[in-house]
Structures are given as C-alpha cells and as structure tokens.
Amino acid sequence: MIVAWRLSWLRPLLCVSILASLDSVALANEENWTIKHEEGRCALRGQCGKQTFFGGQLPCPDNGLALQPEKDTRAKLVAVCGERWAGGTICCDDDQIDSLSSNLKRAEPIISSCPACRENFFNLFCTFTCSPDQSLFVNVTAIEETSSKKLIVTELDNLWSDKYGSGFYNSCKDVKFGATGGKAMDFVGGGAKNFTAFLKFLGDKKFLGSPFQINFPRPSTHEFSNMTAVGQAAKACNDTDEAYRCACVDCPAVCPELPQVTEQESCHVGVLPCLSFSVILIYSVFLLLLVAAVSGHIAYQKHNQRKSERLQLLQDAALSDDEDEGDMVRNAGMLDRPQSHYRLNSICDTAFSKLGNTCATYPSVTIGTSIVVVLALSFGWMNFAVETNPVRLWVSPSSEAAQEKLFFDSSFGPFYRAEQAFLVNDSQPAGPGPVLSYETLSWWFDVENQVKSIKSSVKGVTLNDVCFNPTGSACVIQSLTGYFDGSFSNVHRDSWQEDLALCTDQPGRQECLPDFQQPLQKDMILGGWGSSGNVLDSKALIVTWVVNNHPEGSDGEARAIDWEKSLRDLLVSAQQEAHARGLRLSFSTEMSLEEELNASTNTDAKIVVVSYIIMFLYASLALGSTTLSVGSIFRNPSNAMVRSKFTLGVIGIVIVLMSVSASVGLFAAAGIKVTLIIAEVIPFLVLAVGVDNIFLIVHEFERVNISHPDEDVETRIAKALGRMGPSILLSASTETIAFALGAFVGMPAVRNFAVYAAGAVLVNAVLQVTMFVSVLALNQKRVESHRADCVPCIKVGNADVANAQGGGAYGFDDEGPLQKFIRKSYAPALLDRRVKVAIIIGFLGLFTAGLALMPKVALGLDQRIAFPKSSYLIPYFNDLDAYFNTGPPVYFVVHDLNVTERKHQQALCERYSTCHTFSLANVLEQESKRPNVSYISGSAASWLDDFFTWLNPTNSECCKEGRRTCFENRHPPWNVTLFGMPEGKEFIHYLEKWIDSPTDEACPFGGKAPYSSALVIDPAHNSVPTSHFRTSHTPLRSQANFIDAYASARRIARSISDSQNISVFPYSKFYIFFDQYATIIKLTGTLLGSALAIIFVISSALLGSVATGGIVTLTVAMIVTDVIGTMALAGVSLNAISLVNLVICVGIGVEFCAHIARAFMFPSRNVMEKAKSKFRGRDARAWTALVNVGGSVFSGITITKLLGVFVLAFTRSKIFEIYYFRIWLALVIFAATHALVFLPVALSLFGGEGYIDSEPDGSLEQDLAARRYRALVPDDDYDSDDY
C-alpha cells in the first residue's frame, strides 16, 4: 500500500478561486444587466466590493466600451496571457490583471506539464476577463448592491462554443499531476467526465471557491440574442505545433506504440494443449495397431487350425508312443530356471550374510552401538530450529527475487505494514446488500476512534507511535471517515449521502480531504458498488491502517507487532458487535499470516500423530501374522503368546523414529533448519520405506526357517539378510541418491527436505540391516525358548513351537489367506496372455491420461488453504478478492546509474521534449494502457520529472536560494528540452534541497513527503546510484494473475534495461513468493528426470539387467505421471509443497517396485519350482516374484500407508487435505497397482534374463527340507490344474 500525496491547496478550488479573482457572480434574479451585445463593448469591469465579509472581490457591471490600457497594465497583461494581447483595447483594469496573474500561477503547476492544456486554460480566463468583445459572450444576469451602494455582479452567463469546450476538456483530461500519478482533472475539474461537467465545475459558486455563479450555457441548446459563442478551436494535446504538444504521459495520442508482446502462448490444437493432443493421438494409433495385430494373429491361428484339422483326417487318430514321450519331455521342460550367476549380487549377498551373522551373533553389541551412534547424532537437536519465515522457506537466498528484496529493503527501507478490515453486509438471506447507513456509520466511527486510542498490552504503544506519518501531523488511515474529518459530528443525517457521493466523485475537494491530506479514492475504501455505479450501494466498507515497518528482530518491529495484537483483539470484539447489527467484519494484520500458519500447524500435528499411531499399531500387529494364523490360535491359544511379534514390530517402528532423530540431529548440528514440511512428511516417508523392509526381512526369515529349520538362528539370519540385503540396498540407494539430488535445489524448503529425507532413509536402512536383525535374532531365540512376547520372562510351556520356525507363507496348512490368494488365484490370473494385453492397454491408457492432463496442472498456492478452516483470515481473503478493486504497488528500481548525467536523465524522464521515446517512464505509461497484457495500472510516480518541475521558476515558491527563485533569470533558462538543466554537483545540490522540501500550499512539488524514501543520494560521489519509480498492478484476483503480473513486470524491466542500456528490476511485496513459479516447471522436470535417471543406473547395475532397470524406471515414471494427472483433476496446484510430494512419489514408487523387480531377477528356487508347469521363463519368474514378496508389498506398505492416509481425510486444514491427503492417496493407489499389477506383467513380457538365486543348493538339509515341505502340501495344491 503506497501513499501518494496531494494537498488541499491543489484542489478544483484553484480554478474557482481564479474565477473569484476574475470577479465572478451569484444568482439573484433573471434580469439582463448587459443591455448591448456588440464588438468593442464590455459586460463587466473593475472590482466593486464583496458579497460577504469573507468573500472575494466581485466585478462591477459595466456595459461600456473597451479601453486602451496604460503601458504598465499592457505589460502585465502580456506577461500573463501572452503576446496576442500586445495590442488593442481591453475590458479589464490593473487590479483584475494582478488578481488573474496571482491565481493562474497557483493553477499553473497542476497543468503546466501539458502546454496545450495550459494554453487553453489560460486562454479561457484571459479572454473572459479582458476580451474587448466581452459583451458578445458574457451576459450579466444578476447583481446586488453593496453596503457602499455599489453594484456587484453575482451571476452571469459565459458563452463558449461546444468545439472549444470539448477541445479544452480533451487537452486536459489525461494530464497527470505530481507524485500521486493522479489526474489533474481531479483538481481543476472535480473529476469531470465530459466538458460540460468540467465547465460547470469551473463556474459553480461554492464555499472557499467562486463567490459568484458563472453559467456556461450550451449554444446548441439556448438562443442568445446578439451574442456569439467564443472560441473556435482549442489547442490539442497532440497539436502539430510542437510548442503546444504534450508529453506521452499527459496525451495518449502522442505516445509511441510499444512492440507487441511476443512471448509465446501455450500451443493448442483446438481446445486441447499440444501435449495432450499428441499423446492421445499416439495412444490411439497404438490401439489401432494392436487391434490390427491381434486380429491378424487370430486369423492366422484359425487358418493353421483348419489346416491341421484337414491333415488329421488323413492320419491315424491314435497317439503314438513318441507323442506321449514328447509330452513328457515338454512338461519336464516347463521349469525354466536361470542358469548364470551375477557377480555383483553374489558379492552383495556374501557381504550381507556376513553382516547378518555378525549382528545375530553379537546382538547386544550391535544394539548398543546403534543406540550410542543415534544418541550421538541426536545431540544435534540442541541446535534444532524451525524455519517459519515464508521468505526464507520458499526463496533461495541467491535467487534474483531474494537479492532484489534485500537490495530494496537496504536501500529504501522495509515495506509498510498493512492492517485492513472489511465491513460487509452479506448476512441477510437475500444476499449481500448496501452496508452504508447512518446508524452503521455512527458505530464504525466509534470503532475507528477506539483503534486510535488503544494501547498495546506489553509496550503501551498507540497507533500514533507506530503509524506511517510522513507529514508529521496525521497517521495514514484510508477510510470513509476521512471524508468527514474523522468525526461523526460532521455526518449529518439529512445530507451524509450527498456529501459522500460528492467526495467520492471529487476526492480532491478541500472539505473531503483526510487529515493526512491524501485524496481518498473510492476503490480503496468502498467495494461492491460496481454493478450499480452508485457508491451508496456499496456492499463493503474498507479500512486500511498503514504502519511503519522495521528490520526483522528490531525493537521497532516488536512494538508494531505488540500494537497489532491489541488491534486484533479489538477487532475480534468488534466482530461480535457487527454480527449483532446484521453485519460481518473480516480483518487481517501484518502478523496474522504467520500467526495463523502456526495455528494451522498445531491443528495438523494432532492428525499427523494419530495417523502415525495407526500405522505403528498396524505394522506391529501385522508382523505377528506371519507365524500366527487363526487356525493355530484355535488349535493352541498359547501359541498367540509365543508366536506374536508385536514387540518386534514396535522395535521396527522405534528404529524408524531413531533414524528420523539421527537425521534431524545431524543436519540441525550442521545449521540446516527444519521446516514444517520436514516435521510432517519425513516420518511418513521413512515409515513407508522402513515398514516395507521390516516385512520383507521378517517374511524372508520365516521362509528360511522352513527351508533350513535345523540351522542355528545366526545362520538363518545370515541367509535371510543375504537374500533381502541386496533388495534393501537397491531401494535405499536409489531413494537416498534421488532425494539427495534435491540438495542442489536453491529453494530452501525443497533443499532442506531433500537433505533430511536422504539422511533419514540412509540411517533407517543401516539400522534395519544391523540393529533390527539383532532384535530379530533375539526374538527368534525367545520363540524357540517358549517365552511370551512382550513379557519374555514368562515361559509358556504348552505352546506348540514345533512349527514356530515356519512361517506358513509358502504353502503349508497355516498359510495366510493373502499369500494363498496370490499363489493360487491372483498370480495365475494376472499372467494369462489375454489379461496381460488388457493390463498393458489399461495402464498405458492411464499413463496417456496423466500426460494429457499435465498442462492442466495450475501453478500457485492460494493462501486461504494454508489456514485452518475456522481461521479468521479466510473470510478476509474472500472479501479482498470480492471487494478490493486496487492492485498492489510495484516499483521499478534503477541501480548502478548516475542520474546526474543528461543521457541518463533522458533514459528515465517522460515530461520533457528530449526524453527518450522508450524511456523508463514513457514505457510504464504505455504499458498502463494495455493492462490486460502488462497488469500495470496508472502512471508511474517519476521523481525526476517532479524534481525538474520543482525547479521551474514559474513555481516561484518552490525552489529558493535565499530570497531568490532558483533558475530565475538564468541563462540558459529552465526549459522543456532539459538543455541547461543541472548536472553533476549542481544536480546534487538542488536535489538535496528538493528532497527536504515539504509539500505545502506554496509548493505542491516538494519531494519530502512523496519521495523521501524513493532515492539514495551519494553527495560524496555526486551521484544518485539507486532510485525507484512507483506504479501499481491491476487488481489481481487469482494465483494465475499474480504469476502473470510478476512475469510481465520482469518482461517490462528487461525491455527497459535492454533498450536504454541501464539496470532495472521490478519489485513488489508479493514477488518473492511467486519467484518460484518462474522456474518451478523446469525445476520439477529436472528433479524428477534426474531422479529417474539415477534409478535407472542403480537398478540396472544392482539387478544386472538394463531391460529390467528400464522397466522399473518406466513404472516409477508412470506412477509419478499418474499422480500429476490426478493433481489436475483434484485441484492440486504445482508449488514447492507439491514438488516435495512429487519427489516423495519417486522414492515411494521405487520402494514398491524394487523388491518385486529383484525377486524377478533372482527368483527363489524353492518358490519357483512350485510354479505351475505352464509357466516358463519370464512368466515363471514373475509368478515367483509375486508369491515371494507380493504379500509383503501389499501388507507391509500398501495397507500401512492407506490407513495412515485415510486419517488425514479428517484434518481441519485445507492444505493437508489438498496437498497431503489427495496426493498421498493417489500415490499409494497408483504405486500399489503399478507394482502389483503392471510391473509383473511388464517384467514377464520384457524383463531381462534372470540369475541363479544365491541360496545354497545340493545340501542334505535342503533336500530334507524340500521333502518335508512337499509332504506338508496337500496333493491337490500343485496338481496340473490347480494351485
């Protein structure tokens, strides 16, 4: 919110004062006092007294002949009105000319920037006052007698042609005035919208204005005997005579045309984005080719079948012995096992086997060491700090936006603090209605008075202590109450509506100015009146208190925040009062945003904790089901006490928490702050990864218990970890490196998350293959010792532990229903050829849909969703969008430029004839004329132009050197060409005087109020190295508007910099939050692409197959793509939060896929040999992978995450509902379906050649185990027809 300054003496009253000095009139009767209307005859002359004691001098009625003036009088008239008055008779005297000169000089600063407007303005009043043919266009209609018995004129008609009136208005309507960037018409014409209103304003009798009435009747609607309308043609602002031509800022007709914006728009084919059209077309072609191929294959098969049937008719139908033998050979060859070893896998298997054996042999040492190391790392918590500052969260300190904000704050001071309230009448059943009434105003005046008087609770400061007060006499409060001088005693029940309408139309009127002397624009203080055009129908009253800002952590900031807390409490109380009146009050303070974000975090924390607890409980209970079935409990209930793995599950969860603690401690010690995203997301992520690994290790250990029941526990642990360790290495390494890539991102929120996530995943994997396997060994010894779970000191003697080592997961009578379903029904059905085709078509279709929806993903983060649903800021932001029709200010900052040099002045200015066509100010003026492209509204406040205007000696009360007016009698004189204007040291001399010059009645161009913080002066080097030019954006209603406005400002600054060879950058308070969107699409593609590349390299290396590595990478890419497509459908926009979640999608996707892919490449022989005989090669290995680890993937990660995610549906925070619940739900669903449906099918079709599993073979123990295993399997389980 920027305050621009206009002062009371620069009002439309200037014009009417001029008329007063010209001896104007008031209506008394309808008599005609100008009897003769002819050339060379006057209608009034001289000054004959006042109508009232405080009124101005009024002219005498005089229908006599025009006279030749004295020489001195003629010289005065020529000096004021120009050379065309150098000869001939006139109808004015010396006193009138003096008064005319004095008052025209007061108006001149407002309109002098446009020579045509000035010429027309001066011509009208000079002609009216002194024309020798005055009686031809002036008719006195009313007079009065003074106390001295003299007659004075009180009303007259002043007849000017429509052509002149229209030209006069057009030449002045676009003229800008001073630092406000507002229009001079608001001052000299009362904001008139046409020439008749303009002339009426000039002639109306009013308090502190014209003491008599001048009517400007239209010649086209009235008949005037013997009178002729004066004025043939006014000077146009784009006049062919360069002496009258105005600058671009004051005359759009002379502005150069800016180049068309050539930024490429998004490519579309019809209504579809090109990407969407392309992928849909490719998928459609693929389907057509597939249909053609399948149809051709079917036709070919039918042809062969018919041919075979014809041949059989010629042969003996009986089968030969050879055919029987061939069938036996064919069935025996169904089991197509891998025949080669993969050296890297063997090395990893050996290493993990040794590690498992060591940890199981020395569990106490392993567990103790793990705890000590974690505790040591956790000491970093002493340096724990949470980053809540949005700027430091979302913007890289080295980014352009951050550097520019730092530069702006250090050069010009921190941006103002804004406290804003909306009083709205929308609580009625019929909908929003007018908010303004006499009773409402009475109450609201009282509320504002309370705001002015409140003292903060801690530091005892008031509004006057903290407010923005550039004049030193009044705080800046933009409110309707300013129209009434802040006092309800000035609001009259019978006339307040007329007074309000007058002030909103003419905010520059003296009686309408607030204490801080800035005209109050109606868009800033009233909202919702646009549909009717009548401000009395306004549906919202808007109030803004502007408070000084200070550097972060300073005492000044603490005082401002302290007062804002008191303001918040007062407005909360006022909300209740408003509700009782049938109104609604919404508000925001500068501190509200961070305060409510913290409240949102506290709300979310409870939901997050509940989510984690549910996942913990499920994981702990589900692990026990590996050896504990309902049947075994019914046979012997004591088994539940021994075979339960609840304690093991709890330890597994504790390890997850330990890994998070270690990661946080390590990086907190390194000075990397924790963000709220890290606190809420990292445990979720590590739990997802960790629980799956725990399930895999436990399930594999139970399988080893079956195949090697007579080995000691340490050996069994070694075998289990030897098999699952490389799989954990694959997933953990790809995830860690993928997350670590984010450390190279400049955005702190993403970078810090990536660092903490990579550390937590790595530490978790290390603890799982060390500490957890030690605990697993101890747990197995407890089971074999018949000791109860949770209470190992109790021995359960009647527990059946004969099968305690067995897990039932691979075929015996206690096999769980999930494993049995996968083995007998799901896997065989999935690998059917027709089902495979359907799955490929379906998932590629899903992938196509995800790609097609990508362009529909919006950018941004609506502030409203970051708060709890009950936050008081949500109604405020709704009202801000609905009723506030003013855009945020934007500054174009010029730096590293010496403005004391003429060539640099010409690169910036706009009001002078030698200013460059595409100077900074000229470009901003032109951009404001295409707001739909530039998002710029209004002219820029150009300190350089106002400074040079301040030097103009015609503004005799502005620049003074002692008693002498600056540039008076200077050679060369002050002129619009800038030739002779000060440079170098002289420039700095005058600039320092100007920047300390107040804006007052004598000189409206003083720089102290509007520009004191707009430039940096360096007297030591005679330069102005830094300054800014202020304008504003159009109202920005959506995230897309903010992003486009930021991009447009960048484009404008870049074009100015390039064309003028100067350094310019744009700055607005919101830019730093939207800077991320300039690069977020590229950043997202780079991060995800790099992560996928890492996955491909590592998975190909550890799996020993480029084909399988490619399939895993493709599957993860499809998961992420489908999640992005879901974002478009679910209304989830792309921002830093969703980018973090997409990185999580990569990690979780790898976790889902890695174990199945490795089980496919290194199939378990014991499981594979039970595959149905019709499965060969890749089909057999895909079936083996599903049976081996499919249950762990489903129960270990899918169900765990679904339970946790469903709890998030009950959050009160919209940001959690949208950015966590929706994305994570989509992630779990897509990752599970791709890993358990698409991946096995893709591997069965395109997977690489498998390798021999590292399980030892040929031993007596294994053979016995295999025999025992088969003995336990019912005969019908593995016959030729069933599973």
Side-chain angles (χ1 to χ4, degrees):
M1 166 151 347
I2 291 304
V3 179
W5 301 99
R6 300 176 182 169
L7 302 177
S8 60
W9 45 88
L10 299 175
R11 307 297 169 252
L13 305 174
L14 277 173
C15 301
V16 291
S17 318
I18 293 169
L19 296 176
S21 70
L22 300 179
D23 314 310
S24 324
V25 198
L27 179 63
N29 55 58
E30 295 300 324
E31 295 185 50
N32 183 2
W33 296 97
T34 306
I35 299 172
K36 295 183 178 181
H37 297 281
E38 60 186 17
E39 293 183 0
R41 189 171 293 277
C42 304
L44 47 89
R45 178 163 36 201
Q47 297 177 343
C48 288
K50 301 179 180 180
Q51 191 174 19
T52 64
F53 180 78
F54 295 103
Q57 287 286 335
L58 300 182
C60 314
D62 186 341
N63 201 206
L65 295 175
L67 303 174
Q68 285 287 345
E70 297 290 335
K71 184 177 181 180
D72 290 344
T73 302
R74 173 78 67 186
K76 285 183 180 180
L77 180 59
V78 171
V80 173
C81 296
E83 288 296 327
R84 75 183 185 90
W85 297 90
T89 58
I90 59 173
C91 285
C92 56
D93 62 17
D94 203 62
D95 290 338
Q96 285 179 291
I97 295 173
D98 286 341
S99 182
L100 174 65
S101 174
S102 173
N103 287 283
L104 284 177
K105 283 184 178 180
R106 296 175 64 193
E108 188 173 16
I110 305 174
I111 58 175
S112 62
S113 63
C114 180
C117 176
R118 178 192 179 280
E119 169 64 19
N120 295 330
F121 193 93
F122 274 49
N123 179 56
L124 184 143
F125 288 114
C126 288
T127 301
F128 168 71
T129 305
C130 297
S131 172
D133 301 323
Q134 193 180 61
S135 65
L136 288 179
F137 59 90
V138 174
N139 184 50
V140 176
T141 58
I143 62 173
E144 287 185 7
E145 188 177 25
T146 67
S147 57
S148 60
K149 305 301 181 180
K150 292 183 178 180
L151 295 179
I152 54 175
V153 176
T154 57
E155 183 176 357
L156 57 79
D157 290 335
N158 192 2
L159 193 63
W160 288 77
S161 69
D162 290 346
K163 184 177 181 180
Y164 188 89
S166 176
F168 179 22
Y169 172 77
N170 289 335
S171 70
C172 295
K173 67 178 181 179
D174 293 308
V175 175
K176 308 298 188 303
F177 173 67
T180 64
K183 293 185 177 181
M185 186 59 66
D186 292 338
F187 295 89
V188 299
K193 304 302 181 185
N194 52 62
F195 80 91
T196 55
F198 180 28
L199 295 177
K200 183 178 184 302
F201 180 84
L202 293 177
D204 279 348
K205 176 184 176 181
K206 55 180 70 69
F207 177 68
L208 295 180
S210 173
F212 65 97
Q213 179 69 32
I214 298 180
N215 301 314
F216 286 90
R218 306 292 3 108
S220 57
T221 58
H222 295 77
E223 291 187 5
F224 296 92
S225 176
N226 299 322
M227 293 180 67
T228 304
V230 70
Q232 295 304 310
K235 295 295 183 182
C237 68
N238 62 337
D239 201 274
T240 54
D241 187 344
E242 291 188 1
Y244 300 110
R245 188 175 300 171
C246 304
C248 168
V249 65
D250 298 322
C251 182
V254 303
C255 291
E257 185 176 353
L258 292 178
Q260 293 295 317
V261 177
T262 57
E263 294 181 32
Q264 186 175 2
E265 303 229 344
S266 56
C267 174
H268 279 73
V269 178
V271 297
L272 288 177
C274 288
L275 175 63
S276 305
F277 178 81
S278 300
V279 295
I280 292 173
L281 179 63
I282 292 171
Y283 181 68
S284 300
V285 171
F286 165 75
L287 283 182
L288 289 175
L289 293 176
L290 184 63
V291 169
V294 171
S295 301
H297 179 69
I298 293 174
Y300 180 74
Q301 280 191 323
K302 288 182 177 179
H303 172 73
N304 281 349
Q305 184 179 5
R306 287 194 297 269
K307 183 178 179 180
S308 177
E309 289 174 351
R310 288 196 298 269
L311 290 174
Q312 277 190 335
L313 293 176
L314 303 176
Q315 296 176 356
D316 185 6
L319 293 176
S320 67
D321 292 341
D322 290 340
E323 288 176 305
D324 288 339
E325 291 173 1
D327 185 64
M328 291 174 63
V329 172
R330 188 169 59 249
N331 287 337
M334 286 297 180
L335 201 56
D336 187 9
R337 299 179 182 177
Q339 301 299 316
S340 61
H341 289 274
Y342 183 48
R343 181 170 176 78
L344 181 58
N345 181 71
S346 300
I347 293 172
C348 291
D349 177 82
T350 302
F352 278 106
S353 294
K354 290 180 179 179
L355 177 63
N357 188 278
T358 301
C359 293
T361 303
Y362 307 103
S364 300
V365 175
T366 304
I367 295 171
T369 303
S370 300
I371 293 174
V372 169
V373 171
V374 169
L375 287 176
L377 293 174
S378 298
F379 271 112
W381 279 80
M382 291 187 294
N383 196 38
F384 179 84
V386 178
E387 183 62 81
T388 58
N389 187 307
V391 173
R392 290 193 291 269
L393 275 176
W394 308 120
V395 182
S396 168
S398 60
S399 70
E400 251 188 335
Q403 293 297 313
E404 289 165 356
K405 181 183 187 303
L406 182 64
F407 184 89
F408 185 93
D409 288 349
S410 62
S411 300
F412 310 116
F415 200 77
Y416 308 110
R417 304 175 72 90
E419 336 293 342
Q420 194 170 57
F422 288 81
L423 184 65
V424 183
N425 180 18
D426 65 355
S427 59
Q428 306 302 323
V435 71
L436 299 176
S437 70
Y438 184 78
E439 291 73 19
T440 297
L441 290 179
S442 174
W443 171 71
W444 186 251
F445 269 80
D446 182 61
V447 171
E448 285 199 24
N449 288 331
Q450 293 179 51
V451 172
K452 293 176 183 178
S453 61
I454 57 170
K455 285 189 176 182
S456 64
S457 57
V458 178
K459 297 182 178 291
V461 297
T462 64
L463 177 61
N464 283 331
D465 298 323
V466 297
C467 72
F468 177 56
N469 183 1
T471 64
S473 60
C475 293
V476 175
I477 304 174
Q478 294 177 320
S479 170
L480 172 148
T481 60
Y483 286 151
F484 301 95
D485 204 25
S487 173
F488 188 69
S489 62
N490 296 324
V491 182
H492 305 293
R493 184 181 292 273
D494 297 332
S495 62
W496 71 268
Q497 293 177 317
E498 291 79 7
D499 294 340
L500 178 60
L502 178 64
C503 286
T504 54
D505 286 340
Q506 302 172 22
R509 295 178 67 97
Q510 176 67 39
E511 60 269 31
C512 298
L513 288 173
D515 293 339
F516 61 92
Q517 299 296 295
Q518 176 195 12
L520 293 167
Q521 302 301 324
K522 55 188 174 183
D523 285 338
M524 297 286 290
I525 59 175
L526 294 169
W529 52 267
S531 57
S532 67
N534 185 353
V535 294
L536 298 176
D537 294 331
S538 298
K539 299 176 178 62
L541 187 155
I542 309 167
V543 182
T544 305
W545 296 270
V546 184
V547 174
N548 278 320
N549 207 352
H550 303 272
E552 187 177 357
S554 65
D555 181 66
E557 184 193 49
R559 286 161 58 86
I561 292 175
D562 188 36
W563 182 82
E564 287 170 350
K565 290 179 180 178
S566 298
L567 174 65
R568 177 200 60 198
D569 295 340
L570 187 149
L571 293 179
V572 167
S573 175
Q575 283 181 324
Q576 305 301 319
E577 298 177 22
H579 182 71
R581 294 173 176 273
L583 304 173
R584 178 176 57 79
L585 177 66
S586 65
F587 70 92
S588 171
T589 67
E590 189 73 18
M591 53 163 276
S592 295
L593 185 64
E594 188 170 334
E595 184 182 57
E596 287 297 283
L597 284 175
N598 291 336
S600 174
T601 300
N602 295 334
T603 299
D604 298 336
K606 300 173 185 177
I607 297 296
V608 172
V609 169
V610 172
S611 174
Y612 290 154
I613 289 174
I614 290 177
M615 289 189 288
F616 293 168
L617 290 176
Y618 167 76
S620 300
L621 294 173
L623 279 175
S625 67
T626 58
T627 56
L628 192 63
S629 64
V630 176
S632 65
I633 293 176
F634 278 118
R635 285 194 300 271
N636 188 351
S638 299
N639 289 341
M641 298 181 64
V642 176
R643 295 190 188 181
S644 168
K645 291 185 177 62
F646 185 81
T647 302
L648 189 63
V650 171
I651 297 298
I653 302 306
V654 169
I655 287 176
V656 170
L657 298 179
M658 288 172 65
S659 64
V660 174
S661 175
S663 180
V664 171
L666 174 63
F667 295 113
I672 301 176
K673 288 188 176 182
V674 175
T675 68
L676 297 178
I677 290 181
I678 292 173
E680 294 162 346
V681 173
I682 294 293
F684 179 96
L685 173 65
V686 179
L687 187 66
V689 175
V691 168
D692 190 29
N693 290 340
I694 289 171
F695 271 77
L696 287 167
I697 292 173
V698 172
H699 286 175
E700 181 61 22
F701 179 66
E702 297 303 337
R703 189 190 69 79
V704 174
N705 281 339
I706 295 174
S707 60
H708 301 80
D710 299 324
E711 297 278 8
D712 56 30
V713 173
E714 290 78 7
T715 303
R716 281 179 269 157
I717 288 288
K719 292 181 181 294
L721 189 60
R723 176 163 177 77
M724 283 295 106
S727 185
I728 294 173
L729 175 63
L730 171 61
S731 61
S733 59
T734 52
E735 290 160 3
T736 301
I737 296 176
F739 289 141
L741 287 173
F744 298 99
V745 176
M747 195 183 300
V750 177
R751 183 187 64 237
N752 293 7
F753 161 79
V755 170
Y756 277 93
V761 170
L762 179 61
V763 173
N764 182 69
V766 172
L767 290 177
Q768 284 174 334
V769 298
T770 54
M771 180 178 173
F772 181 76
V773 297
S774 296
V775 175
L776 181 60
L778 292 176
N779 181 76
Q780 184 62 28
K781 292 178 180 179
R782 173 195 62 78
V783 172
E784 295 179 7
S785 299
H786 296 76
R787 296 190 177 276
D789 189 21
C790 299
V791 192
C793 57
I794 298 177
K795 192 169 185 178
V796 183
N798 60 341
D800 178 15
V801 294
N803 289 323
Q805 300 96 314
Y810 297 96
F812 72 106
D813 54 358
D814 279 348
E815 180 183 16
L818 175 61
Q819 285 78 14
K820 189 172 184 178
F821 169 75
I822 292 174
R823 175 176 60 81
K824 296 189 64 175
S825 303
Y826 177 72
L830 186 70
L831 297 174
D832 181 81
R833 282 188 303 174
R834 288 168 294 185
V835 174
K836 285 182 184 181
V837 173
I839 287 172
I840 294 297
I841 292 173
F843 277 84
L844 287 180
L846 200 61
F847 181 55
T848 300
L851 288 172
L853 288 169
M854 275 187 180
K856 298 297 183 181
V857 177
L859 302 181
L861 175 61
D862 192 332
Q863 297 177 86
R864 284 168 286 196
I865 69 172
F867 308 123
K869 295 177 182 177
S870 58
S871 171
Y872 66 85
L873 286 183
I874 293 179
Y876 165 76
F877 281 112
N878 291 337
D879 291 338
L880 188 68
D881 280 351
Y883 300 117
F884 198 57
N885 202 34
T886 301
V890 55
Y891 303 83
F892 285 85
V893 180
V894 181
H895 60 100
D896 300 327
L897 183 74
N898 188 2
V899 189
T900 64
E901 294 184 25
R902 178 77 66 243
K903 64 178 182 179
H904 293 153
Q905 295 167 2
Q906 293 166 334
L908 301 179
C909 67
E910 64 180 336
R911 293 188 178 276
Y912 300 91
S913 60
T914 59
C915 295
H916 290 171
T917 302
F918 294 104
S919 68
L920 184 148
N922 273 333
V923 169
L924 293 181
E925 176 65 25
Q926 282 299 83
E927 291 287 359
S928 71
K929 293 177 173 58
R930 53 178 188 184
N932 58 317
V933 174
S934 67
Y935 294 89
I936 297 294
S937 174
S939 300
S942 172
W943 67 266
L944 185 61
D945 289 283
D946 285 353
F947 167 56
F948 283 148
T949 304
W950 178 77
L951 291 174
N952 190 340
T954 61
N955 303 318
S956 58
E957 298 302 317
C958 287
C959 182
K960 290 281 192 179
E961 295 278 12
R963 294 186 177 181
R964 185 177 62 85
T965 300
C966 304
F967 279 74
E968 190 175 40
N969 300 321
R970 176 187 170 112
H971 296 285
W974 186 99
N975 61 86
V976 296
T977 68
L978 295 182
F979 178 70
M981 288 293 195
E983 294 184 86
K985 187 174 182 179
E986 185 185 27
F987 183 94
I988 296 297
H989 167 72
Y990 285 118
L991 188 66
E992 289 181 319
K993 291 176 64 68
W994 173 71
I995 205 66
D996 288 330
S997 173
T999 307
D1000 53 25
E1001 181 176 6
C1003 179
F1005 293 102
K1008 185 175 183 179
Y1011 295 118
S1012 58
S1013 61
L1015 61 161
V1016 176
I1017 303 174
D1018 183 7
H1021 298 89
N1022 291 324
S1023 69
V1024 183
T1026 302
S1027 63
H1028 68 60
F1029 294 73
R1030 185 187 66 249
T1031 182
S1032 63
H1033 281 299
T1034 56
L1036 306 177
R1037 306 295 189 193
S1038 65
Q1039 294 290 291
N1041 286 162
F1042 279 100
I1043 294 169
D1044 292 343
Y1046 174 61
S1048 175
R1050 285 281 181 203
R1051 172 187 59 79
I1052 294 169
R1054 189 166 54 250
S1055 69
I1056 295 171
S1057 299
D1058 293 343
S1059 66
Q1060 300 300 317
N1061 195 28
I1062 59 178
S1063 298
V1064 181
F1065 70 82
Y1067 175 80
S1068 189
K1069 192 174 182 180
F1070 73 87
Y1071 284 177
I1072 198 162
F1073 301 110
F1074 288 86
D1075 179 65
Q1076 59 178 291
Y1077 302 111
T1079 57
I1080 196 167
I1081 295 178
K1082 181 180 179 181
L1083 175 61
T1084 302
T1086 302
L1087 270 182
L1088 298 182
S1090 300
L1092 291 173
I1094 292 295
I1095 291 170
F1096 174 72
V1097 172
I1098 295 179
S1099 59
S1100 297
L1102 292 180
L1103 294 176
S1105 170
V1106 172
T1108 302
I1111 291 172
V1112 170
T1113 305
L1114 174 63
T1115 305
V1116 175
M1118 292 173 68
I1119 293 170
V1120 175
T1121 301
D1122 291 343
V1123 171
I1124 295 175
T1126 303
M1127 288 171 57
L1129 296 177
V1132 181
S1133 55
L1134 179 62
N1135 49 53
I1137 297 176
S1138 50
L1139 175 55
V1140 168
N1141 278 323
L1142 289 176
V1143 175
I1144 290 176
C1145 289
V1146 175
I1148 299 296
V1150 171
E1151 186 65 26
F1152 270 96
C1153 299
H1155 305 301
I1156 290 178
R1158 189 178 183 283
F1160 170 82
M1161 290 301 299
F1162 305 95
S1164 170
R1165 185 187 58 233
N1166 290 337
V1167 178
M1168 188 176 180
E1169 68 180 3
K1170 304 301 182 287
K1172 190 175 180 179
S1173 59
K1174 77 172 185 178
F1175 291 138
R1176 299 188 55 136
R1178 287 190 290 259
D1179 281 349
R1181 286 188 283 130
W1183 182 90
T1184 302
L1186 279 172
V1187 173
N1188 196 13
V1189 298
S1192 298
V1193 171
F1194 182 78
S1195 60
I1197 184 170
T1198 306
I1199 300 301
T1200 305
K1201 299 324 301 167
L1202 281 176
L1203 289 173
V1205 168
F1206 281 139
V1207 175
L1208 297 180
F1210 299 98
T1211 180
R1212 290 187 297 162
S1213 169
K1214 289 290 291 182
I1215 198 168
F1216 247 69
E1217 176 195 333
I1218 294 174
Y1219 288 97
Y1220 293 100
F1221 172 69
R1222 296 181 187 179
I1223 291 184
W1224 287 355
L1225 180 61
L1227 166 61
V1228 174
I1229 292 174
F1230 286 127
T1233 52
H1234 279 76
L1236 295 173
V1237 180
F1238 174 78
L1239 181 59
V1241 170
L1243 290 172
S1244 71
L1245 294 173
F1246 311 108
E1249 293 297 325
Y1251 297 98
I1252 297 175
D1253 187 20
S1254 57
E1255 294 173 323
D1257 55 357
S1259 66
L1260 175 63
E1261 293 83 0
Q1262 183 179 0
D1263 182 64
L1264 291 173
R1267 293 174 183 274
R1268 173 175 175 267
Y1269 182 96
R1270 285 191 289 270
L1272 291 172
V1273 178
D1275 291 340
D1276 62 346
D1277 258 10
Y1278 289 99
D1279 61 17
S1280 60
D1281 300 321
D1282 221 347
Y1283 282 78

